[in-house]
Amino acid sequence: EQAVRIETGAYGIDAVHSQVGFEVKHLGISTFRGSFGGFAGTINVGENGIEAIDGTIEIASIKVPEEQLTGHLLSPDFFDAEANPEGENYKVTGDLTLRGTTNPVVLDVEVEGAGIGMDGSSVLSLKADGIVNRNDYGISWGAALDSGAAVVAEKVRIVLTVEAVKAAA
């Protein structure tokens, strides 16, 4: 398989064609999914490929199917969105900040493609995922069923699909 040629420069994340999501086990048996609607970021590409990814996620933009659950996730039990309004920056080197706590994180990143968009701009597509332990960020709310299964698992999968457009020179 031939490597994708990526034009060097700074690329801005296209929020319309990108998604920031998460997955967490619920009741020990099913996978619950949610996403965030407000995010921004840049991807810097040098001669040797992707050098850095910087991004910010607006915690209050969380999207889940039920309003009461949204309120609980924004509360101090989980994201504490009032005190910590953004997911802060993360870099290819692996720093993730939530609720004012920064920890290293490893995301498997794959370049899905690169090319020219409809307006002639260079476009880059990435997908990334990795697992973090929510307790490492002070998100330790928990309850257990009589069976001992956790209502909400400690491990959370971060799932990103990103399309970015190169900034004009």
Side-chain angles (χ1 to χ4, degrees), residues 65-96:
E66 205 271 323
E67 188 175 329
Q68 184 175 353
L69 178 56
T70 299
H72 193 198
L73 291 174
L74 293 175
S75 79
D77 284 346
F78 287 95
F79 287 112
D80 196 9
E82 187 173 330
N84 304 278
E86 294 181 343
E88 300 271 337
N89 294 331
Y90 65 92
K91 299 181 185 298
V92 166
T93 55
D95 292 335
L96 175 64

Side-chain angles (χ1 to χ4, degrees), residues 117-169:
M118 294 179 67
D119 66 357
S121 298
S122 294
V123 179
L124 171 64
S125 176
L126 305 174
K127 68 179 179 180
D129 67 51
I131 296 176
V132 297
N133 186 319
R134 63 187 177 88
N135 290 318
D136 293 343
Y137 298 91
I139 304 172
S140 56
W141 179 89
L145 301 174
D146 291 340
S147 67
V151 173
V152 180
E154 293 177 351
K155 292 181 179 179
V156 179
R157 178 176 300 279
I158 298 170
V159 182
L160 308 170
T161 55
V162 174
E163 184 175 302
V165 179
K166 183 178 178 186

Side-chain angles (χ1 to χ4, degrees), residues 13-19 39 125 161-165:
I13 293 176
D14 177 353
V16 173
H17 297 101
S18 303
Q19 288 105 28
F39 53 89
S125 176
T161 55
V162 174
E163 184 175 302
V165 179

Side-chain angles (χ1 to χ4, degrees), residues 7-92:
E7 189 176 333
T8 61
Y11 290 72
I13 293 176
D14 177 353
V16 173
H17 297 101
S18 303
Q19 288 105 28
V20 174
F22 62 92
E23 298 176 348
V24 63
K25 283 290 187 187
H26 183 246
L27 306 177
I29 57 172
S30 64
T31 301
F32 177 82
R33 292 176 178 87
S35 63
F36 295 92
F39 53 89
T42 58
I43 301 169
N44 293 315
V45 178
E47 291 297 328
N48 296 318
I50 296 171
E51 296 176 342
I53 301 173
D54 295 303
T56 302
I57 299 168
E58 296 171 21
I59 298 301
S61 72
I62 194 167
K63 296 179 182 178
V64 294
E66 205 271 323
E67 188 175 329
Q68 184 175 353
L69 178 56
T70 299
H72 193 198
L73 291 174
L74 293 175
S75 79
D77 284 346
F78 287 95
F79 287 112
D80 196 9
E82 187 173 330
N84 304 278
E86 294 181 343
E88 300 271 337
N89 294 331
Y90 65 92
K91 299 181 185 298
V92 166

